[in-house]
């Protein structure tokens, strides 16, 4: 029997993270049991389970959320237990009060969810004495601390590969967009071809978002990470590349959109378009050099220009047909800016 797609993840959590979670839970159970031998260390084990996250920064944040939520939940349960006793209906009252206390304190969702859960568990076991409440807080702090320590000690996660891959794919796709536009400038286009050209160019935006999210996760994975010094240079390089690529996305989209909107069959007679197409191909060539891994082999069809920037100076444009000067002027201006942004001359 196959599980429904709605409850299955697209990919598995890394086995290393599962292993670290298991180790943290075992250690939390054993160590909390030594400090609090009279109770099963359930709170400590749950805290360890929730605290081990894909990054050290997330683990620290989850540990703070979990500990604060338990403290507030225990205080609410203790206060309500002292005021109204331990009747069954008091548990529901504690849950409702906890929700409003979390709202009043503007707690994060993770902390706000923990408060009513803790209050309900503390009252449900029938113990609202100060010793029991204090023990639950200590138990949770122990479990959360162990989760953070385990995540830091055992191969602290570094999520740079997805960012590196996304950024370099984005650069290559911008280059491919420029190449497609260059090819389109040199031949007559049908409405279907024009729409397809624009649609492919618009796919740069989702790729930009994906790269941005991957870089954010990469930066987060290095925060509070003892391995950050070793990997910071790689992330900074990819971040710098992404910053340079973002305006190129706007330029490539703008040029494609202008060609789509102002196209007519008489453009085939414009001699300037052939020169613009050649400069677009040179721009794509240099952009691929910029986007490639430093240690990767250069894959270029021409040995004459392999690995060498070939972008030339801005074009000298002859007077175009009056029907086309808006399009050609737009293309030339965007091409000039692409030239400046690839070479790093833009201000």
């Amino acid at each position: 029997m196959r599980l429904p797609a709605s409850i299955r993840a697209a990919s598995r959590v890394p086995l290393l993270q599962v292993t670290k979670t298991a180790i943290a839970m075992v250690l939390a159970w054993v160590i909390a049991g030594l400090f609090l031998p009279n109770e099963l260390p359930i709170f400590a084990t749950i805290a360890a389970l929730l605290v081990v996250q894909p990054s050290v920064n997330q683990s620290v944040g989850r540990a703070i959320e979990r500990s604060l939520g338990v403290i507030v939940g225990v205080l609410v349960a203790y206060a309500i237990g002292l005021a109204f006793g331990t009747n069954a209906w008091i548990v529901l009252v504690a849950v409702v009060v906890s929700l409003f206390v979390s709202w009043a304190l503007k707690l994060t969702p993770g902390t706000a969810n923990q408060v009513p859960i803790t209050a309900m568990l503390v009252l449900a076991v029938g113990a609202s004495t100060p010793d029991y409440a204090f023990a639950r807080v200590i138990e949770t702090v122990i479990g959360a601390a162990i989760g953070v320590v385990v995540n830091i000690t055992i191969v602290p996660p570094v999520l740079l590969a997805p960012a590196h891959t996304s950024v370099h794919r984005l650069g290559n796709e911008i280059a491919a967009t420029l190449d497609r536009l260059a090819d389109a400038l040199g031949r007559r286009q049908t409405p279907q071809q024009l729409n397809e050209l624009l649609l492919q160019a618009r796919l740069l935006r989702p790729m930009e978002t994906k790269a941005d999210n991957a870089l954010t996760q990469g930066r987060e994975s290095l925060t509070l990470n003892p391995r950050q010094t070793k990997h910071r240079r790689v992330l900074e390089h990819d971040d710098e590349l992404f910053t340079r690529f973002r305006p190129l996305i706007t330029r490539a989209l703008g040029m494609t959109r202008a060609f789509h909107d102002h196209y007519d069959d008489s453009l085939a007679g414009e001699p300037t378009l052939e020169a613009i197409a050649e400069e677009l191909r040179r721009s794509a060539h240099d952009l691929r050099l910029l986007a490639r891994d430093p240690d990767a082999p250069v894959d270029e069809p021409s040995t004459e220009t392999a690995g060498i920037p070939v972008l030339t100076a801005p074009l000298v444009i002859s007077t175009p047909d009056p029907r086309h000067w808006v399009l050609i002027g737009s293309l030339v201006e965007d091409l000039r800016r692409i030239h400046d942004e690839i070479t790093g001359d833009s201000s």
Side-chain angles (χ1 to χ4, degrees):
M1 179 178 175
R2 298 187 61 182
L3 294 175
S6 58
I7 62 173
R8 296 185 65 193
S11 60
R12 290 188 177 91
V13 175
L15 181 60
L16 178 61
Q17 184 178 339
V18 176
T19 303
K20 291 197 294 185
T21 303
I23 293 172
M25 292 173 65
V26 171
L27 290 176
W29 182 280
V30 173
I31 294 175
L34 293 176
F35 280 92
L36 305 166
N38 296 326
E39 298 287 342
L40 290 177
I42 296 175
F43 277 61
T45 307
I46 294 175
L49 168 66
L50 297 177
V51 164
V52 178
Q53 295 291 312
S55 73
V56 175
N57 188 43
Q58 289 176 342
S59 287
V60 173
R62 188 61 64 88
I64 294 173
E65 283 185 348
R66 176 75 185 179
S67 300
L68 180 60
V70 168
I71 291 172
V72 175
V74 165
L75 291 176
V76 170
Y78 176 54
I80 291 179
L82 287 181
F84 300 104
T86 57
N87 295 324
W89 62 273
I90 295 302
V91 177
L92 181 59
V93 172
V95 171
V96 173
V97 171
S98 298
L99 290 174
F100 284 98
V101 169
S102 301
W103 174 81
L105 296 176
K106 296 184 179 179
L107 300 179
T108 63
T111 306
N113 291 336
Q114 186 58 50
V115 173
I117 292 174
T118 300
M120 179 175 61
L121 290 176
V122 169
L123 289 175
V125 297
S128 57
T129 62
D131 290 341
Y132 184 86
F134 179 74
R136 300 291 68 77
V137 172
I138 295 302
E139 185 183 336
T140 299
V141 171
I142 290 174
I146 289 173
V148 172
V149 170
V150 167
N151 210 19
I152 292 176
T153 305
I154 304 177
V155 194
V158 175
L159 304 177
L160 298 189
H164 187 74
T165 300
S166 297
V167 169
H168 286 266
R169 283 180 178 172
L170 177 62
N172 285 315
E173 185 57 30
I174 298 171
T177 300
L178 298 180
D179 275 335
R180 287 192 293 266
L181 180 59
D183 291 340
L185 291 176
R187 57 174 64 98
R188 292 181 183 273
Q189 299 290 304
T190 65
Q192 180 180 353
Q193 289 173 323
L194 289 171
N195 290 335
E196 183 179 351
L197 183 69
L198 183 59
L199 179 62
Q200 288 179 305
R202 284 174 171 169
L203 293 178
L204 289 172
R205 289 303 185 191
M207 293 185 69
E208 177 188 14
T209 301
K210 181 179 180 181
D212 192 17
N213 292 338
L215 285 168
T216 299
Q217 292 177 356
R219 285 190 290 269
E220 187 175 83
S221 73
L222 293 186
T223 305
L224 304 178
N225 194 317
R227 302 166 64 194
Q228 64 175 292
T229 303
K230 177 181 177 182
H231 298 280
R232 180 68 65 181
R233 183 181 60 83
V234 175
L235 182 62
E236 288 176 351
H237 176 265
D238 290 338
D239 218 348
E240 180 183 351
L241 269 184
F242 181 66
T243 301
R244 295 180 68 177
F245 289 162
R246 298 191 89 163
L248 292 174
I249 295 173
T250 302
R251 306 296 175 219
L253 277 170
M255 295 178 80
T256 305
R257 182 75 199 189
F259 181 69
H260 175 278
D261 291 350
H262 296 282
Y263 175 82
D264 64 64
D265 289 341
S266 64
L267 281 169
E270 283 288 350
T272 303
L273 287 183
E274 183 178 346
I276 293 176
E278 179 60 25
E279 288 301 312
L280 284 172
R281 293 188 182 95
R282 290 172 179 266
S283 300
H285 170 279
D286 286 7
L287 185 54
R288 287 191 179 92
L289 292 182
L290 188 65
R292 73 182 179 91
D293 288 325
D295 300 328
V298 177
D299 183 16
E300 290 287 342
S302 172
T303 57
E304 217 174 279
T305 61
I308 304 173
V310 297
L311 196 59
T312 62
L315 295 171
V316 176
I317 304 298
S318 58
T319 303
D321 186 301
R323 294 172 296 175
H324 306 147
W325 71 268
V326 173
L327 172 61
I328 292 178
S330 173
L331 293 177
V332 170
E333 176 59 18
D334 279 331
L335 187 60
R336 181 190 67 81
R337 293 181 179 181
I338 287 175
H339 173 280
D340 292 344
E341 284 152 1
I342 290 178
T343 57
D345 294 334
S346 58
S347 56

